[in-house]
Amino acid sequence: MDAKPQQNPEPPPSPLPHRGATAVPPPPAPMRTTLRRAAFGAVAGAVLVAGAVIAVPDGSEESAPPVAGPVARAEAAAAAGSPASLSDLTALIGDRQKWVETHPADAPSWAVLGTAYVEWGRRSADGAYYTRAEQALQRSLAAQPGERGNAAAWVGLGALANARNDFLAGKKWGETVRAREPRNWTAYPVLIDAYNGLGEYAAAGRATEKFATLRKGAPALARTSEMYRNQGWREDALATAQEAADRATTPAEKAAALHRLGTLAGERGEPAEALAQYDAALRTDRGHLVSLAGRARALAALRRTDEALAAYRTVAAKLPRPAYLLELGELYESLGLDGDARTQYEALRSLLARAKADGVDASLTEARFEADHGDPEAAVDLMRTAWESKRRSSAVADALAWSLHRAGRSEEGMQYAERAVETGVRDASYAYHLGMIESSFGQDGPARGHLEEALRTDPGFSPLAAPQAREALDSLGEPASGGPAEMQPPEPAPEPPAPEPSPAGPTREPQREPKAEPSPEPKRSRPAAPSPRAPEPSAAAAP
């Protein structure tokens, strides 16, 4: 019989430098490890996609029953794409590290360890863990190829690819698993994330519907809410997200659902409601740092700038994602703190270089930064590369459109801006960018409509762009009264006065040109094209 894993194992020293959230070592494993872990390994490898945790509580097996449904809890966290608790994740990593040292041929344990590394990398914004994840997953496939039943490692590689924003690779791994095992529900969260990242929203919708038939409860509701949001169905997204929050069964799942409600409220231009939801998420899970970032964003929209800056600084230290550093720099700039903004932008450049070295594609955030604060031509190159590599999401289309506009190629950017708005995602920045591009062409009417839409959708969508949208709208002025002239019916021509009879007797009434009958206006939403003019009557046709 294999040796029993060590009780309460400490994670071995990391061979890679600590950065970001990993600057503070993870807490020691709080749970005992039993031989049941080994039996659970094969099952966990099949269900673990987003850091699922399988653990046994402290205490002897005789005195305390096992925690109800550990595999079900792991399935729910994995399928919903929500992170496990940090303590559980730490316990899992420490346990599997110790186990594979003495059992290097245990393919399921390597798969569990690799996917746990992916989740830790997401939670800490430390791309170094993605390198460890790739190594562990490749070890799993070396011990048991995917063709011989190791779909868990393939699913883990798909999750890793999506975490690195390599959505084409994520799609490949997800579709590989689905082709071989169509009812393996663990492939569908990977496919949904990959399709959304590529802008293949119809395929993402089909994958979401299939996932909902295979798995029920809060995980399926969370994915369905995301699908509704991407289609612009706000009321459905909100109702489904609320139901997911009500049916959440673990703190991590509950915090993720509350964070989703906060994001939807922020996109509706309700920062106070967003703040309440983010605070609730943080009360549920104090380590839910993405909710702290959302809280900072909501505070900035409420103009509680001191609190927003404090929250952003904490996020930048504990969860240094490029997007958060860009938001903090723009908040500094909006307050006139140019020195702090420059410092933040320099830190952002360093973070982007580090992400690239770790194999993470952060070109979307980099392009947004370069377009407004650096080199717009570099932003165009980044987004053209993304577009040509099939990353055609609404976010990429919007970033490419704005980069082209900032680089002086507004006419070329117009088509991408329209595409971003037409995807259905109701993002205030998309409407703002399209309105500004239209204004540069002198299309005052459409520009006015889109700028009003941006401010109506979310009045505080950006500390820098929202004031610029108001200024642009004021400069356009009010539309002319009475509407467009071509929409008014023409005035009828006055009838010529009848000739006075002459004293010599009645004269012959002059001939009149016959009037062409107006063709009835077609019933359509767009203005109809003008009908061809009726031909002039010939002399032979005169009465």
Side-chain angles (χ1 to χ4, degrees), residues 142-478:
Q144 180 185 357
E147 295 84 354
R148 291 171 51 193
N150 193 3
W154 281 350
V155 170
L157 286 172
L160 171 62
N162 288 337
R164 284 171 159 170
N165 296 324
D166 185 359
F167 300 113
L168 273 178
K171 175 182 174 180
K172 181 195 74 171
W173 291 118
E175 290 182 343
T176 299
V177 176
R178 183 179 62 182
R180 297 179 66 89
E181 304 176 14
R183 298 191 63 80
N184 184 345
W185 58 266
T186 62
Y188 289 92
V190 173
L191 284 172
I192 294 167
D193 290 339
Y195 288 144
N196 282 329
L198 294 172
E200 299 178 12
Y201 298 116
R206 291 191 295 270
T208 301
E209 292 171 356
K210 180 63 176 178
F211 175 67
T213 64
L214 298 174
R215 306 301 304 171
K216 304 296 182 183
L221 291 168
R223 292 290 183 174
T224 304
S225 174
E226 179 187 22
M227 177 186 69
Y228 288 150
R229 181 260 177 193
N230 290 339
Q231 293 174 344
W233 300 348
R234 286 185 167 182
E235 293 77 10
D236 299 278
L238 175 60
T240 311
Q242 184 62 62
E243 187 177 357
D246 295 340
R247 297 178 64 177
T249 57
T250 67
E253 193 175 70
K254 183 78 169 183
L258 292 168
H259 178 267
R260 189 174 299 106
L261 287 170
T263 301
L264 292 172
E267 291 178 344
R268 293 194 308 269
E270 300 176 5
E273 172 65 17
L275 181 62
Q277 297 292 353
Y278 291 134
D279 284 342
L282 289 167
R283 287 193 300 270
T284 303
D285 182 0
R286 294 180 60 187
H288 204 254
L289 294 177
V290 290
S291 289
L292 184 59
R295 187 175 191 276
R297 197 177 302 115
L299 288 168
L302 291 168
R303 299 185 181 180
R304 294 163 58 176
T305 52
D306 290 341
E307 296 173 81
L309 288 172
Y312 267 126
R313 292 187 192 107
T314 302
V315 172
K318 294 185 176 181
L319 190 65
R321 291 180 177 173
Y324 300 155
L325 270 65
L326 177 58
E327 291 176 17
L328 176 54
E330 290 186 340
L331 181 58
Y332 277 134
E333 189 173 343
S334 71
L335 298 173
L337 303 174
D338 295 340
D340 292 320
R342 284 193 297 270
T343 300
Q344 202 63 38
Y345 293 151
E346 287 301 319
L348 172 60
R349 288 188 182 278
S350 299
L351 192 61
L352 290 169
R354 185 184 306 168
K356 186 176 182 180
D358 291 330
V360 179
D361 184 352
S363 59
L364 182 59
T365 302
E366 185 176 359
R368 288 170 173 167
F369 166 69
E370 293 291 352
D372 285 325
H373 312 286
D375 182 1
E377 288 291 348
V380 171
D381 292 340
L382 288 168
M383 289 298 92
R384 279 212 185 281
T385 300
W387 192 265
E388 291 168 0
S389 62
K390 306 301 182 182
R391 281 184 63 187
R392 298 181 179 180
S393 65
S394 59
V396 172
D398 171 74
L400 178 55
W402 190 242
S403 300
L404 287 166
H405 170 70
R406 296 285 293 176
R409 286 180 269 170
S410 302
E411 185 174 1
E412 188 179 357
M414 175 78 80
Q415 59 178 319
Y416 297 104
E418 291 175 341
R419 177 162 179 160
V421 171
E422 291 170 357
T423 56
V425 178
R426 299 184 61 183
D427 191 304
S429 64
Y430 296 175
Y432 162 70
H433 289 155
L434 178 55
M436 295 296 286
I437 294 174
E438 289 168 333
S439 179
S440 69
F441 284 117
Q443 299 180 6
D444 293 352
R448 187 182 295 106
H450 285 115
L451 292 173
E452 288 175 346
E453 178 186 349
L455 294 172
R456 183 172 58 251
T457 300
D458 183 3
F461 68 92
S462 166
L464 281 179
Q468 294 172 0
R470 294 188 186 92
E471 292 177 6
L473 192 58
D474 291 341
S475 67
L476 291 174
E478 295 296 328

